[in-house]
């Protein structure tokens, strides 16, 4: 699979054959990620979580939930903007799945090795907020409109520290290509060179994913369900799916940028790269869940102050320090 | 017909249709979404020209701008539909003159550009080449633009501050 070839029908078909199983893999990952999230949440809150459907561990709980959502009546509010109401789940899902194309999972398993992989990721993922805003607007409901507005304000504010925090990584790797970035971490992972960058990236990614403590767009105690209020049935399912696929992409990206991708820790080279990637990825994913269950939601003004007066100045200072130290040492 | 031509036709059609619908749609949010179509198609066209860095930056900057504009559109327009039909301006014939003039100027401009003799190898290290050019040959224009943007930023802050007091 290389992109150096001119676009052709065979190229399209071969990509199609690879992508469809991957889509199914991601969907089944999302199914079990939701189950895992509920089980972990249950354990942390001293209860057992889903334990009826599909055996002792509730293995089929999410499958049953998805079937329930698919069989539900598809309601569209009378005064809603019908066209956009139908389109916005798609607008939210497509970018979330598109960004997976450039992520290098192992040395050989990557769909598109393009020169600007990192920029592509940031650019495409910034499109996903459009689906949320249109969904909130098209529902014609106060709560969903406020949710959509909040989502726009939050995702634009936190995109800036997200991008600024990876500038240090780009410095060190000297490239925007994700394969080169992983290759540069052969001996030392960038989390050791860029600890501040990692922390900022991590916080900003939690905010971009609209998860607790930054889940103001869907804060259930204030806005019922935020931009999702009017959505039910499979449109709601697609929104949730987009959220979890985006979370998958974010965790994979954190692994690639800061945790050395598929590279093993020294003396453990016999374990294949795919498993290393999975281990690091699961660590990030678990910590994302952990944060969700342990932090309270922050207030709207605190959210904005935190981004503009906290994360952005720190990440700019981080860029300067990285550049100066890099110049002195090289 | 190879794939490149198909994609060129798709992207350029997308860009033109999006631009036309920005003018045609009466709902501001719809118009903005068709502007998104234009921008995405434009970056597709840049990729066909192997200017991948420009394509990525185009998406990154314009999608943020579009979201902000969408917020303004939501806040400043009423959601009631069908009331703006009166405001549609009829087509005015004198408009033809500037349109034709503009077309002639653009056509002349495109016609005057002579493509370089030997093809420049952009392709792989696109980002690196752009960075080198900006920070060597085009250093002064680049710095001037940053000063201009800074001035605009400060001006916006001053204007917003005045309203508050």
């Amino acid at each position: 699979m290389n992109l150096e070839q001119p676009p052709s029908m065979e190229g399209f078909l071969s990509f199609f054959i690879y992508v469809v199983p991957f889509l199914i893999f991601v969907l089944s990952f999302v199914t079990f990620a939701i189950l895992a999230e509920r089980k972990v949440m249950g354990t942390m809150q001293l209860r057992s979580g889903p334990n009826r459907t599909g055996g002792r561990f509730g293995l089929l709980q999410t499958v049953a939930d998805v079937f329930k959502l698919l069989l539900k009546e598809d309601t569209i509010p009378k005064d809603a903007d019908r066209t956009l109401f139908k389109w916005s789940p798609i607008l939210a899902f497509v970018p979330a799945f598109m960004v997976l194309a450039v992520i290098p999972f192992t040395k050989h398993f990557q769909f598109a090795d393009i020169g600007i992989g990192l920029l592509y990721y940031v650019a495409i993922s910034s499109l996903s907020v459009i689906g949320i805003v249109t969904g909130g607007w098209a529902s014609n409901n106060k709560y969903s409109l406020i949710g959509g507005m909040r989502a726009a304000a939050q995702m634009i504010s936190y995109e800036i520290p997200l991008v600024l925090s990876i500038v240090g990584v780009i410095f060190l790797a000297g490239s925007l290509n994700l394969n080169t970035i992983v290759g540069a971490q052969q001996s030392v992972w960038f989390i050791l060179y860029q600890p501040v960058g990692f922390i900022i990236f991590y916080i900003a990614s939690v905010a971009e994913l609209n998860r607790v403590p930054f889940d103001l767009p869907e804060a259930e105690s204030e806005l019922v369900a935020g931009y999702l209020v009017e959505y039910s049935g499979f449109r709601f399912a697609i929104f949730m799916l987009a959220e979890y696929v985006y979370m998958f992409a974010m965790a994979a990206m954190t692994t690639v940028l800061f945790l050395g991708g598929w590279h093993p820790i020294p003396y453990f080279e016999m374990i294949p790269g795919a498993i290393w990637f999975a281990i690091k990825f699961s660590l990030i994913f678990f910590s994302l869940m952990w944060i969700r269950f342990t932090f309270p939601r922050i207030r709207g003004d605190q959210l904005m102050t935190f981004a503009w007066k906290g994360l952005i100045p720190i990440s700019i200072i981080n860029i300067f320090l990285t550049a100066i130290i890099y110049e002195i040492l090289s | 017909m190879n794939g490149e031509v198909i994609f060129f036709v798709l992207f350029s059609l997308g860009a033109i249709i999006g631009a036309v619908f920005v003018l045609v749609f009466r709902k501001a949010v719809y118009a903005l979404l068709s502007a998104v179509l234009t921008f995405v198609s434009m970056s597709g066209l840049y990729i066909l020209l192997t200017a991948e860095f420009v394509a990525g930056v185009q998406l990154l900057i314009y999608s943020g701008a579009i979201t902000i504009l969408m917020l303004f559109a939501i806040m400043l327009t009423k959601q009631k539909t069908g009331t703006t039909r009166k405001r549609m301006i009829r087509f005015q014939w004198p408009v033809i003159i500037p349109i034709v003039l503009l077309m002639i100027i653009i056509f002349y401009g495109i016609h005057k550009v002579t493509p370089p003799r030997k093809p420049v190898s952009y392709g792989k290290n696109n980002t690196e080449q752009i960075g080198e050019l900006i920070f060597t040959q085009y250093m002064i224009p680049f710095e001037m633009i940053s000063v201009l943007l800074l001035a605009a930023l400060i001006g916006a802050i001053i204007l917003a501050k005045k309203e508050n007091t």
Side-chain angles (χ1 to χ4, degrees):
Chain A
M1 286 190 287
N2 63 338
L3 289 181
E4 309 286 286
Q5 60 197 10
S8 64
M9 205 60 204
E10 298 92 70
F12 173 77
L13 283 179
S14 64
F15 270 107
F16 194 76
I17 290 166
Y18 283 111
V19 165
V20 169
F22 185 64
L23 176 64
I24 293 166
F25 167 76
V26 170
L27 295 189
S28 50
F29 166 80
V30 168
T31 319
F32 284 99
I34 293 174
L35 177 72
E37 184 153 24
R38 292 177 65 181
K39 283 306 252 189
V40 174
M41 171 155 50
T43 316
M44 283 186 185
Q45 297 169 349
L46 298 180
R47 49 192 183 81
S48 55
N51 59 356
R52 296 291 160 90
T53 323
R56 256 187 73 205
F57 300 106
L59 287 176
L60 292 176
Q61 182 65 50
T62 325
V63 182
D65 284 346
V66 170
F67 271 113
K68 187 203 86 178
L69 282 175
L70 291 181
L71 293 174
K72 250 178 144 176
E73 187 192 350
D74 172 36
T75 54
I76 299 179
K78 195 174 131 234
D79 283 338
D81 190 311
R82 295 184 74 88
T83 329
L84 279 189
F85 191 82
K86 287 174 185 164
W87 272 89
S88 50
I90 302 169
L91 281 179
F93 176 70
V94 168
F97 191 64
M98 264 173 83
V99 294
L100 295 179
V102 289
I103 296 175
F105 294 100
T106 69
K107 199 178 279 180
H108 306 291
F109 184 67
Q110 182 188 18
F111 289 99
D113 180 18
I114 57 176
I116 50 152
L118 189 51
L119 190 64
Y120 171 90
Y121 177 86
V122 176
I124 299 289
S125 67
S126 70
L127 287 177
S128 65
V129 66
I130 291 177
I132 294 178
V133 177
T134 46
W137 179 78
S139 305
N140 201 357
N141 175 313
K142 281 179 222 133
Y143 295 124
S144 38
L145 185 59
I146 295 174
M149 301 284 243
R150 281 186 182 183
Q154 174 178 335
M155 288 177 94
I156 284 171
S157 307
Y158 278 86
E159 204 173 281
I160 301 166
L162 188 86
V163 176
L164 288 180
S165 65
I166 46 184
V167 172
V169 171
I170 300 169
F171 265 142
L172 295 175
S175 172
L176 287 171
N177 185 316
L178 291 171
N179 266 323
T180 320
I181 288 175
V182 177
Q185 302 178 67
Q186 181 104 48
S187 47
V188 185
W189 301 349
F190 282 153
I191 188 172
L192 294 177
Y193 287 139
Q194 287 284 320
V196 183
F198 171 72
I199 293 168
I200 294 170
F201 183 85
Y202 189 81
I203 296 173
S205 69
V206 176
E208 283 279 298
L209 293 169
N210 293 331
R211 291 172 66 84
V212 182
F214 305 105
D215 71 332
L216 282 107
E218 40 191 300
E220 64 272 356
S221 50
E222 313 159 23
L223 297 181
V224 192
Y227 59 91
L228 295 170
V229 169
E230 298 290 359
Y231 280 94
S232 71
F234 71 98
R235 294 186 213 286
F236 178 79
I238 291 178
F239 261 121
M240 287 318 267
L241 186 67
E243 211 174 302
Y244 275 87
V245 171
Y246 195 26
M247 192 172 157
F248 177 90
M250 268 296 183
M253 206 60 189
T254 319
T255 314
V256 165
L257 289 178
F258 291 99
L259 297 182
W262 63 81
H263 285 309
I265 54 175
Y267 307 115
F268 284 94
E269 283 88 357
M270 69 283 188
I271 301 172
I275 294 185
W276 274 113
F277 190 92
I279 292 172
K280 294 169 187 172
F281 171 84
S282 315
L283 269 179
I284 295 286
F285 207 87
F286 178 78
S287 67
L288 283 174
M289 292 180 194
W290 192 359
I291 284 183
R292 174 170 174 186
F293 312 137
T294 40
F295 278 84
R297 182 180 303 127
I298 63 175
R299 239 171 34 220
D301 59 321
Q302 290 170 335
L303 178 93
M304 284 298 150
T305 322
F306 187 55
W308 291 97
K309 293 185 182 164
L311 291 182
I312 293 176
I314 296 174
S315 53
I316 290 174
I317 293 170
N318 181 40
I319 292 173
F320 273 109
L321 284 183
T322 312
I324 291 169
I325 295 171
Y326 186 73
E327 274 302 305
I328 291 171
L329 290 185
S330 63
Chain B
M1 193 150 82
N2 63 352
E4 217 163 313
V5 176
I6 297 175
F7 277 107
F8 175 74
V9 170
L10 275 182
F11 285 137
S12 44
L13 269 184
I16 294 169
I17 288 173
V20 169
F21 275 130
V22 171
L23 300 175
V24 171
F25 276 136
R26 277 180 284 126
K27 284 184 193 163
V29 176
Y30 277 41
L32 280 167
L33 284 176
S34 46
V36 172
L37 177 67
T38 307
F39 291 138
V40 172
S41 316
M42 292 275 279
S43 66
L45 285 176
Y46 285 131
I47 285 178
L48 284 184
L49 293 169
T50 67
E52 42 183 26
F53 183 75
V54 183
V57 170
Q58 158 103 9
L59 267 190
L60 183 61
I61 291 177
Y62 279 107
S63 63
I66 281 291
T67 329
I68 299 274
L69 271 179
M70 205 180 267
L71 291 190
F72 280 118
I74 291 169
M75 283 191 283
L76 299 180
T77 57
K78 280 218 177 95
Q79 194 150 359
K80 280 266 156 38
T81 54
T83 48
T84 44
R85 189 176 286 268
K86 278 264 166 63
R87 266 189 50 235
M88 282 280 279
I89 305 161
R90 270 191 308 118
F91 186 74
Q92 310 264 322
W93 282 105
V95 174
I96 283 288
I97 300 165
I99 291 176
V100 170
L101 269 179
L102 185 71
M103 208 192 82
I104 289 172
I105 292 170
I106 293 175
F107 183 79
Y108 184 69
I110 293 174
H111 203 70
K112 239 177 61 176
V113 174
T114 44
R117 277 288 156 72
K118 59 175 169 64
V120 196
S121 63
Y122 294 117
K124 260 270 167 185
N125 291 326
N126 202 278
T127 319
E128 214 173 309
Q129 288 183 23
I130 289 176
E132 260 174 38
L133 274 183
I134 280 182
F135 287 105
T136 53
Q137 200 176 339
Y138 298 103
M139 186 73 197
I140 292 170
F142 178 72
E143 291 294 332
M144 298 254 280
I145 288 171
S146 21
V147 171
L148 189 72
L149 283 177
L150 186 69
L153 193 73
I154 294 171
I157 291 173
I158 287 173
L159 283 180
K161 272 274 169 199
K162 238 177 209 163
E163 259 172 33
N164 266 348
T165 48

